[in-house]
Amino acid sequence: MLVALFVVALSATVWPSAHSLPLSTHSDVQSLAHKHQVPKWPAQYQVSWSLTIPFITKLQSTPFVYNYTVHQDTLNGRQLSTRDGVESVLQIVDTNTMYQIYPKVDTWDCRTLEIDGGGGPTAQQRRRLLSVENGPKLTLVLPDLSEGKWTFNGTSKIRTGAWAGLEADTYVWPLTEDYGYGRVSASYAFYVSQGGSPLRLEMWGVNLYTGGHFDDYEVDFRNFSAGSPPTDIFKIPDICPLKPSVRDSYVGRMQMRHSGLMRHLAIMHPNAHWGDAEYDAFVHRHGRRHRSEEEYQGRAQVFMDNQRMIEQHNAGNHSYKLELNHFADWTREEYRAVFLPNTGAPRLSPQGDSSLVRQHVRTVPAHMVPNTLDWRGSPADSPVKDQAMCGGCWAFGAVASLEAAYFRQTGKQLLLSEQNMMDCSWSTGNTACMGGFQDLAFQWVLNNTVGGLASEEAYPYQGVTNFCRKDVPQAAKFSGKYVEVTGGEEALKEALYTKGPMTVSVDAGPDAFQFYKSGVFDEAKCQTQLDKLDHAVIISGYGTSPEGQHYWLVKNTWSTNWGDKGYIQIARQPDDCGIASQPIYIDFDHVE
Ligand SMILES: *[C@@H]1O[C@H](CO)[C@@H](O)[C@H](O)[C@H]1NC(C)=O
Ligand SMILES: *[C@@H]1O[C@H](CO)[C@@H](O)[C@H](O)[C@H]1NC(C)=O
Ligand SMILES: *[C@@H]1O[C@H](CO)[C@@H](O)[C@H](O)[C@H]1NC(C)=O
Ligand SMILES: *[C@@H]1O[C@H](CO)[C@@H](O)[C@H](O)[C@H]1NC(C)=O
Ligand SMILES: *[C@@H]1O[C@H](CO)[C@@H](O)[C@H](O)[C@H]1NC(C)=O
């Protein structure tokens, strides 16, 4: 459903990992059922919901609301989700197909995807490999309160939002977890009217709809009604390709990953255990969810096969060792389907005009570069932003580099518009909330046919894919080049010192990244090759912890509710999650 579906808040090219939320047991669920009559949603209904992100109101004077209307037909496996009458997603389980109709510059476009296609174990693979006939396919709208960690919490008064003041049955799902980088507490609350209608969902944690970043999300439900949907409403729009298209570009493949991953909204599903101690330990570490005992047994078998293979390999005379990493319960086919198509992609974006890019040249000798550097709070380092339910991290990364360049050139701070960049830069291959790359953004904005950007204030962020607005004037006009910092750690330190904050890509895949709170993030499982990096962020400095560990100071765009007030310290080489792999800044030769 929803845009949000395609939109991993993790971003540009993010493949969000299964989130490791705590585990539920059979006994929890059963004892809950004795205490209270848990509402069960009808097989056919219509509901409208609006989602707000309170953090956005601190950021910009024009807050936004995601307004959706959903027609749900579980009986016939169909769902239509429409946002503000602008964007819609139609899902048809029978044909395993979803159609996304979205605005593109000044027109509409549609893409056709497999509901369970793309990244991760697909429905098809699951059926073949694990003999699982059915799993829920349609995207979550109303949480199934009989599943997962939900417990009845009595009645209480709704505090804020559309239903403030109303007395409602309250279900809660609290959790606290420590992934090694600080204790994180999440909590979910769901309110149901005494008549059995859904009223409100409060999420302090990972977004249950998208799997997106840790934040504060508030959803009000309105106009819930049971009954069969209007005839014709599930008609496939003419502009949609009938079959999922074969996507052969790198960007395309990344998008495929997104949509597939979106199927894994499995956070809501019970995480029951079926008994293999070693696999359970793995499940606990990596947050797997299994919908049935068959699926569990199938995965446990794959895990044990891989374990045996790795032990044999490591016992032999080889120049490298294998480890039982978080793919240990994926089959080789699954792994290849998701990761290997990208192997060998030489750079993030293979095409483009090389006249707009150059390589960084050091100007300051290493001994003059300070050991610690922190741009936070300076006008060169814009405030922590929030990409909301949109895979637009690439635009945030690119705009941060532009903002730093603007400050360097003019001595003034000017916040520029990510929405402008997302809405209008399709020509170089970016796809708004569905993903993109910083260098493609630079190729668009530095092209002399564009050569500028509106301000954040005049063209505020909306967190959705939208039409390109031509009526908003550019707040800054500029020309110049984008500059790649190759040469590793020393080069990056020098470039940060002389040029200020800049954008960089990172491997945000490890589970612990989602739940990072504090300390130096040092994950041996982090990837560093360019084609494995899946999220765009901003690097704002570097330093050394009291324990003597060197780190990069990295700013994310997941609000200050995530991480250390929005920032993360990432260990420097060798496990730098790709931070030093390809930082990019902007050099203006003209700005006005
Ligand atoms: C979203 O829905 C709310 C509640 O119906 C309404 O007040 C608001 O104007 C809507 N916003 C948009 C942008 O449509
Ligand atoms: C759940 O119940 C506890 C104890 O009565 C209360 O303190 C808490 O506020 C309730 N949670 C919600 C979300 O209403
Ligand atoms: C709810 O239904 C009423 C009456 O049909 C309509 O006026 C209103 O716009 C609907 N609200 C939403 C949020 O869809
Ligand atoms: C291990 O392999 C290396 C390189 O191929 C070889 O030189 C060495 O003799 C081998 N050692 C054993 C114990 O087979
Ligand atoms: C700028 O954009 C135009 C039109 O899309 C294109 O033909 C041209 O090659 C681009 N120039 C550069 C330097 O990227």
Side-chain angles (χ1 to χ4, degrees):
M1 77 188 196
L2 332 176
V3 204
L5 239 197
F6 295 86
V7 160
V8 183
L10 279 183
S11 210
T13 45
V14 164
W15 191 75
S17 59
H19 308 292
S20 313
L21 292 174
L23 318 168
S24 144
T25 63
H26 271 332
S27 58
D28 286 346
V29 176
Q30 278 157 8
S31 60
L32 159 69
H34 292 304
K35 281 186 218 139
H36 185 76
Q37 189 62 42
V38 177
K40 188 129 185 65
W41 310 116
Q44 295 178 313
Y45 62 82
Q46 181 185 324
V47 70
S48 296
W49 56 281
S50 26
L51 185 148
T52 53
I53 302 176
F55 182 75
I56 301 288
T57 59
K58 297 184 201 162
L59 275 183
Q60 56 186 54
S61 55
T62 331
F64 53 81
V65 181
Y66 290 91
N67 281 342
Y68 292 101
T69 297
V70 181
H71 293 277
Q72 174 82 11
D73 183 0
T74 315
L75 203 60
N76 299 300
R78 300 180 297 188
Q79 183 187 78
L80 175 69
S81 214
T82 307
R83 174 184 63 80
D84 299 333
V86 171
E87 182 169 17
S88 54
V89 175
L90 170 64
Q91 296 183 48
I92 302 189
V93 170
D94 254 2
T95 55
N96 192 38
T97 316
M98 60 203 296
Y99 305 89
Q100 184 186 16
I101 301 97
Y102 54 88
K104 178 176 176 180
V105 188
D106 54 2
T107 176
W108 303 82
D109 206 350
C110 177
R111 53 180 203 163
T112 303
L113 302 149
E114 281 176 43
I115 288 181
D116 218 347
T122 66
Q124 209 184 5
Q125 284 164 332
R126 211 165 37 227
R127 285 192 197 97
R128 186 165 48 79
L129 297 165
L130 307 169
S131 327
V132 174
E133 289 305 319
N134 295 301
K137 280 222 165 202
L138 296 175
T139 304
L140 168 81
V141 183
L142 300 170
D144 185 343
L145 299 171
S146 66
E147 288 191 323
K149 281 291 254 182
W150 293 103
T151 54
F152 181 59
N153 198 53
T155 59
S156 62
K157 203 167 261 180
I158 297 178
R159 280 180 287 262
T160 51
W163 304 108
L166 213 69
E167 208 47 60
D169 286 350
T170 309
Y171 295 81
V172 295
W173 176 11
L175 57 99
T176 300
E177 219 22 30
D178 193 333
Y179 288 82
Y181 301 99
R183 253 172 114 68
V184 180
S185 294
S187 65
Y188 301 90
F190 189 74
Y191 301 88
V192 181
S193 78
Q194 321 257 290
S197 291
L199 296 176
R200 185 170 170 82
L201 172 62
E202 293 167 353
M203 302 183 261
W204 172 257
V206 169
N207 187 321
L208 297 179
Y209 290 109
T210 62
H213 68 269
F214 198 104
D215 211 329
D216 185 7
Y217 304 90
E218 301 180 353
V219 183
D220 282 318
F221 297 93
R222 290 187 183 83
N223 289 3
F224 175 77
S225 64
S228 53
T231 46
D232 271 8
I233 198 155
F234 299 116
K235 190 172 169 297
I236 300 161
D238 291 341
I239 57 166
C240 296
L242 284 177
K243 296 232 174 308
S245 49
V246 177
R247 293 170 179 273
D248 53 6
S249 70
Y250 182 61
V251 172
R253 280 196 299 270
M254 296 306 259
Q255 288 167 358
M256 292 291 279
R257 282 191 193 183
H258 285 210
S259 57
L261 200 277
M262 289 299 94
R263 291 305 316 145
H264 298 256
L265 297 170
I267 287 173
M268 300 301 284
H269 297 162
N271 204 342
H273 284 186
W274 279 278
D276 181 272
E278 274 188 90
Y279 185 52
D280 281 353
F282 172 87
V283 163
H284 185 66
R285 265 197 317 282
H286 298 291
R288 292 296 191 267
R289 270 154 216 95
H290 306 99
R291 293 168 182 168
S292 67
E293 179 157 8
E294 286 77 25
E295 179 168 357
Y296 174 91
Q297 296 299 356
R299 286 287 161 203
Q301 188 58 50
V302 173
F303 174 81
M304 286 180 277
D305 290 348
N306 281 331
Q307 193 175 32
R308 195 161 44 241
M309 182 273 289
I310 288 166
E311 279 164 7
Q312 275 167 9
H313 174 97
N314 290 347
N317 186 16
H318 296 284
S319 62
Y320 65 98
K321 297 279 184 221
L322 296 179
E323 74 165 339
L324 202 60
N325 66 15
H326 59 292
F327 300 116
D329 65 344
W330 285 28
T331 65
R332 192 140 332 149
E333 288 81 356
E334 287 167 345
Y335 188 85
R336 195 171 299 156
V338 176
F339 292 102
L340 300 191
N342 303 322
T343 320
R347 277 179 24 79
L348 287 179
S349 55
Q351 288 117 17
D353 193 319
S354 58
S355 70
L356 291 175
V357 58
R358 64 174 182 77
Q359 304 299 308
H360 175 66
V361 178
R362 287 199 231 180
T363 51
V364 174
H367 71 272
M368 309 236 337
V369 175
N371 289 327
T372 303
L373 181 70
D374 186 348
W375 286 99
R376 273 179 305 188
S378 82
D381 194 48
S382 49
V384 174
K385 300 184 183 183
D386 191 345
Q387 66 191 77
M389 298 204 302
C390 168
C393 60
W394 57 273
F396 282 86
V399 163
S401 282
L402 289 168
E403 288 168 345
Y406 187 88
F407 172 72
R408 208 164 60 241
Q409 208 84 353
T410 65
K412 283 184 246 155
Q413 186 177 51
L414 174 64
L415 299 187
L416 294 166
S417 172
E418 290 85 11
Q419 193 69 43
N420 184 182
M421 187 166 263
M422 293 194 319
D423 289 349
C424 308
S425 76
W426 289 74
S427 59
T428 51
N430 284 330
T431 57
C433 284
M434 293 170 272
F437 296 99
Q438 304 101 300
D439 50 357
L440 296 181
F442 294 136
Q443 282 174 16
W444 171 77
V445 78
L446 293 174
N447 187 312
N448 53 22
T449 65
V450 179
L453 211 58
S455 70
E456 182 103 71
E457 184 64 31
Y459 200 144
Y461 190 59
Q462 295 178 299
V464 295
T465 297
N466 223 333
F467 295 110
C468 173
R469 291 175 58 188
K470 303 269 166 61
D471 60 314
V472 188
Q474 293 176 339
K477 293 187 197 303
F478 42 72
S479 60
K481 295 203 187 328
Y482 67 94
V483 188
E484 295 174 340
V485 182
T486 46
E489 197 163 314
E490 289 309 316
L492 177 54
K493 282 170 68 181
E494 191 268 355
L496 280 167
Y497 180 51
T498 55
K499 302 293 178 177
M502 62 189 72
T503 184
V504 75
S505 298
V506 66
D507 173 15
D511 294 341
F513 194 96
Q514 276 277 321
F515 285 99
Y516 167 83
K517 197 77 201 151
S518 58
V520 178
F521 186 77
D522 187 1
E523 278 292 312
K525 295 193 190 75
C526 258
Q527 307 261 15
T528 57
Q529 305 98 293
L530 277 182
D531 59 317
K532 298 286 163 51
L533 310 183
D534 55 14
H535 182 43
V537 289
I538 299 117
I539 177 162
S540 302
Y542 53 83
T544 304
S545 73
E547 292 74 34
Q549 201 171 5
H550 300 309
Y551 63 82
W552 298 116
L553 179 62
V554 171
K555 181 170 62 175
N556 205 344
T557 51
W558 292 353
S559 87
T560 53
N561 295 322
W562 176 86
D564 187 357
K565 300 192 178 71
Y567 287 80
I568 179 171
Q569 296 173 352
I570 297 183
R572 284 195 233 157
Q573 280 161 12
D575 301 319
D576 71 355
C577 302
I579 292 295
S581 298
Q582 195 189 49
I584 312 181
Y585 67 88
I586 301 281
D587 251 352
F588 289 144
D589 45 43
H590 176 77
V591 59
E592 61 187 66

